[in-house]
Amino acid sequence: MSDTSGTPEKNESAGTGADELAPEAPLDDAKSAPEDRETEGPLDESEANPVRPYVDLGGVKILPREGLHLRLEVEEESQRVVAVGLDYAGSTLQVQPFAAPRSSGLWHEIRGQIADQVQRQGGRISERDGVFGPELIAEIPVAAPQGKPGETRVARFVGVDGPRWFLRGVIAGDAAIQPEAAALVEDLFRSIVVVRGSVPMPPRDLIPLRMPAAPSAGGTDNSYTSL
């Protein structure tokens, strides 16, 4: 799912291209998050249980669970980690943490940018209320071999505004269409801890991600699959 990597304002293939919302569109900068986020997640580092065995990836911490496989998505030119991919319950969940203002959120604005980009790519998009608040359901065209009918893939774009951070998730596979798988992946997203840190960062900058300190045997430069 490398096509969804990058910062919200710069990566067009992520459905969040550089184009801003139309000037006449009202800008809603209120935070968007579940009412129980502070206890049920996604959590800020200050809210997480310090004794839980998290895998530390810099900007996020992941709680291991049976059947979970983790992939780190690396930008080819810079070789920096730009996203965390989680394979679980027949689904994929890609997550990216971004710096955000203390008193306002990013998700309401970014949803408009994602919708615009998906439509530019010839896809269809709709919005609904989900467990994390507003989310987008995208049907994205997939290139097919010549002579074969075109196909689409379904992806769910979810986002949560936390204290000085914004966490975006892109869900594909079974969890995009099947309720049972969706519940498992939503619980996985809830379990993520965001580590904003104290270093000043402009809003929308990707919070730095890194390889885990001690990858297990069998991992590669861009993957860590022992969770």
Side-chain angles (χ1 to χ4, degrees):
M1 294 181 59
S2 59
D3 61 333
T4 56
S5 300
T7 60
E9 79 281 13
K10 296 179 181 178
N11 189 311
E12 295 191 359
S13 62
T16 55
D19 293 344
E20 297 181 354
L21 296 178
E24 65 273 12
L27 179 60
D28 184 353
D29 63 356
K31 287 183 178 291
S32 176
E35 291 184 0
D36 58 357
R37 187 209 60 76
E38 294 182 10
T39 56
E40 300 302 319
L43 298 173
D44 184 72
E45 182 182 27
S46 65
E47 300 159 345
N49 186 335
V51 302
R52 302 193 79 176
Y54 289 106
V55 176
D56 186 353
L57 302 174
V60 295
K61 293 181 178 181
I62 306 296
L63 188 64
R65 61 182 67 195
E66 185 176 357
L68 175 62
H69 299 274
L70 182 152
R71 294 173 290 103
L72 299 180
E73 301 181 14
V74 178
E75 187 176 62
E76 186 173 352
E77 289 187 6
S78 66
Q79 288 299 297
R80 69 167 182 157
V81 179
V82 294
V84 176
L86 302 170
D87 298 330
Y88 185 61
S91 312
T92 60
L93 168 64
Q94 183 205 61
V95 295
Q96 293 176 291
F98 299 95
R102 185 181 302 275
S103 59
S104 59
L106 299 178
W107 184 223
H108 292 306
E109 181 182 3
I110 289 173
R111 287 202 317 279
Q113 296 172 351
I114 293 173
D116 179 67
Q117 187 60 35
V118 169
Q119 290 167 349
R120 290 188 182 197
Q121 294 175 348
R124 296 188 300 176
I125 198 153
S126 60
E127 182 170 318
R128 71 179 185 188
D129 288 330
V131 296
F132 304 108
E135 66 176 62
L136 297 175
I137 309 297
E139 296 181 42
I140 303 170
V142 177
Q146 189 172 5
K148 293 190 176 181
E151 298 180 352
T152 61
R153 65 181 178 92
V154 178
R156 294 171 55 195
F157 290 82
V158 298
V160 170
D161 290 303
R164 299 175 62 238
W165 52 257
F166 165 69
L167 183 66
R168 187 179 70 177
V170 185
I171 301 170
D174 291 349
I177 54 178
Q178 297 180 5
E180 289 185 5
L184 293 172
V185 173
E186 289 160 2
D187 181 69
L188 174 61
F189 190 67
R190 285 268 200 180
S191 72
I192 293 172
V193 174
V194 179
V195 183
R196 168 61 178 83
S198 58
V199 177
M201 294 178 64
R204 294 170 169 261
D205 271 15
L206 181 70
I207 299 173
L209 298 165
R210 63 168 183 261
M211 298 284 185
S216 67
T220 66
D221 289 343
N222 295 341
S223 67
Y224 178 71
T225 60
S226 67
L227 300 189

